[in-house]
Amino acid sequence: MNDFKLPNRTILHIISVLFLVSAATISATAQNNSEPPAAIRVAVVGLVHGHVAGFLPALKSHPEIQLVGIEETDTGLADKYKNQFHLDPNLFFTNIDAMIQQTHPQALLVYTAISDHRKVIDIAAAHGISVMVEKPLATTLEDALAIRKTAREHHIQVLVNYETTWYSSNRAAYEQLQQGKLGELHKVIFRDGHQGPKEIGVGPEFLRWLTDPQKNRAGALFDFGCYGADLVTWLMHGETPISVTAVAQTDKPNLYPHVDDDATIIVRYPKMQAVLMPSWDWSFNVKDMALYGTKGSAVTVGPDQLQVRYEGQGRSTLLTPPPLIAPQDDSLHYLVAVLRGQLVPKRDLTALDTNIIVMQILSAARDSARTGRTILLKPLPE
């Protein structure tokens, strides 16, 4: 009997089919067995910054975040937060190094006095851990530049969180400008502040350093001037201003005897001026931005509405922009995306390079208010 043989072409076809079936099976198995990435391990450093009260609930419930530790030397303050938010007592430490060694966080969220940011970042960098601080980055330009040097040498991320970063109204105004609807930008006005920290009832641990000329290095000028400085640096794509001129005063010396509670800062660019009006003397809470260009204007109305008016129009139109989407919708989504390598912070509102220029503006504003002179600026060496 003759042996039956398949043609070579047929054999190759069968092998190809078997290979494709096998590959598809492996792929399907891998998809079925794949697991979501592990949660990012974060630890909180300090509880004296009042904004932490708004973040602890989010940290506890965020699906991509695992809270592994909280460092606070004031045990009474730690007990207050432990009881208020029903936190596990084992989360609490009184020493940063001990917390890091025992909990192995991937990022630190810093809620200390602003003057302590550099110290905490130095400790984090020694462990190779990235950091997100509450605004502003530092109290001096010297500290800001030292932080940048440390971040580069240790290859860590240093991010700065501002409430206004996550406003859909600010993003929509930016897009109006980028799309050319406003023409060439000539003036931006920022109003930021509230009735005053004492008036709105911030906690004593927050008020203590917020009104300390050493720990905060200014009052409203830094506390709320940083918002406008951050936003204008973003709008101007990281351009260094030509000059900064500022006046600052204390309208309520009985409440704030050691720091300013009201300021006006003029930030000048070659073809544009930004006017920052930080204050603890508004009659209401305000964080808004008005862009004026050669073809129109865009004025934010709270965090989620925008009023636009174009040349030839008799009245403004109120828009409601779509909500921001992750990872640009809040600080925790943003942090996760950065640590997973999905997002590179560069020239945006949270990025270190942006906030170095913010500190250049704020430091110049403080010097201008103190001396009564306009402070000329030059781009900082990289």
Side-chain angles (χ1 to χ4, degrees):
M1 180 182 292
N2 294 329
D3 292 336
F4 175 74
K5 292 184 178 180
L6 291 172
N8 289 337
R9 182 179 298 175
T10 304
I11 293 172
L12 290 173
H13 177 71
I14 292 172
I15 291 172
S16 297
V17 170
L18 290 174
F19 175 79
L20 292 172
V21 170
S22 176
T25 302
I26 292 171
S27 176
T29 302
Q31 290 179 7
N32 290 335
N33 292 336
S34 65
E35 297 180 358
I40 298 294
R41 298 170 62 84
V42 304
V44 169
V45 176
L47 293 172
V48 298
H49 195 304
H51 291 180
V52 72
F55 277 89
L56 283 173
L59 284 172
K60 288 178 62 181
S61 61
H62 200 291
E64 297 177 295
I65 294 285
Q66 181 185 1
L67 177 61
V68 297
I70 300 172
E71 183 274 343
E72 173 53 58
T73 57
D74 183 339
T75 54
L77 182 60
D79 286 341
K80 169 190 166 183
Y81 277 98
K82 178 175 62 181
N83 296 330
Q84 181 178 350
F85 294 103
H86 309 290
L87 297 167
D88 184 345
N90 292 322
L91 286 172
F92 289 85
F93 295 81
T94 56
N95 180 275
I96 300 176
D97 285 300
M99 179 181 68
I100 291 172
Q101 290 166 7
Q102 291 186 44
T103 64
H104 308 291
Q106 295 165 267
L108 299 184
L109 304 180
V110 182
Y111 295 93
T112 65
I114 307 303
S115 58
D116 291 331
H117 283 179
R118 178 178 173 180
K119 177 178 66 177
V120 174
I121 291 168
D122 283 345
I123 294 171
H127 293 275
I129 299 172
S130 292
V131 179
M132 178 176 275
V133 301
E134 286 297 289
K135 58 79 188 173
L137 172 63
T139 57
T140 67
L141 181 59
E142 178 187 3
D143 277 1
L145 293 174
I147 287 168
R148 183 178 71 175
K149 183 173 184 289
T150 297
R152 288 175 174 176
E153 289 177 349
H154 292 269
H155 307 289
I156 66 167
Q157 295 288 350
V158 175
L159 309 171
V160 184
N161 181 42
Y162 295 80
E163 176 189 337
T164 46
T165 299
W166 323 111
Y167 283 12
S168 60
S169 55
N170 286 337
R171 177 69 61 174
Y174 178 86
E175 290 172 354
Q176 289 272 323
L177 181 63
Q178 297 307 303
Q179 293 165 6
K181 295 180 179 179
L182 307 182
E184 185 177 359
L185 189 63
H186 277 185
K187 191 177 290 291
V188 190
I189 299 174
F190 302 93
R191 296 189 306 160
D192 292 290
H194 48 47
Q195 300 93 318
K198 201 160 191 176
E199 289 88 334
I200 67 171
V202 305
E205 69 283 349
F206 192 9
L207 185 67
R208 193 174 299 118
W209 67 259
L210 196 58
T211 57
D212 185 316
Q214 294 304 313
K215 289 186 175 295
N216 203 31
R217 291 296 181 99
L221 186 145
F222 261 48
D223 187 30
F224 282 108
C226 62
Y227 286 102
D230 184 50
L231 286 161
V232 74
T233 303
W234 176 56
L235 291 170
M236 298 301 291
H237 306 290
E239 181 178 347
T240 301
I242 294 172
S243 68
V244 174
T245 309
V247 293
Q249 61 196 49
T250 303
D251 293 333
K252 296 176 281 191
N254 57 318
L255 296 180
Y256 310 110
H258 305 299
V259 293
D260 60 275
D261 57 29
D262 188 76
T264 301
I265 307 166
I266 300 174
V267 184
R268 187 165 69 93
Y269 295 86
K271 294 183 178 180
M272 201 277 288
Q273 285 185 0
V275 181
L276 285 56
M277 296 188 289
S279 182
W280 290 344
D281 203 17
W282 294 108
S283 54
F284 45 77
N285 180 51
V286 60
K287 292 185 182 73
D288 62 24
M289 171 176 75
L291 278 60
Y292 298 97
T294 55
K295 294 182 179 179
S297 64
V299 181
T300 63
V301 182
D304 54 9
Q305 289 188 308
L306 185 69
Q307 199 170 53
V308 297
R309 181 176 176 180
Y310 308 118
E311 59 181 345
Q313 287 188 338
R315 61 181 63 187
S316 300
T317 302
L318 187 64
L319 307 176
T320 302
L324 299 177
I325 59 174
Q328 301 289 357
D329 59 336
D330 66 43
S331 63
L332 295 180
H333 280 139
Y334 183 96
L335 175 66
V336 168
V338 169
L339 293 184
R340 288 179 177 165
Q342 300 163 348
L343 189 156
V344 178
K346 184 73 175 174
R347 295 290 183 225
D348 66 15
L349 291 161
T350 312
L352 182 57
D353 56 355
T354 298
N355 282 280
I356 292 294
I357 298 175
V358 170
M359 288 310 306
Q360 192 179 13
I361 293 171
L362 292 179
S363 295
R366 181 174 55 206
D367 289 346
S368 176
R370 178 177 56 83
T371 64
R373 297 185 295 108
T374 292
I375 307 299
L376 300 180
L377 300 182
K378 294 181 179 180
L380 295 165
E382 287 293 323

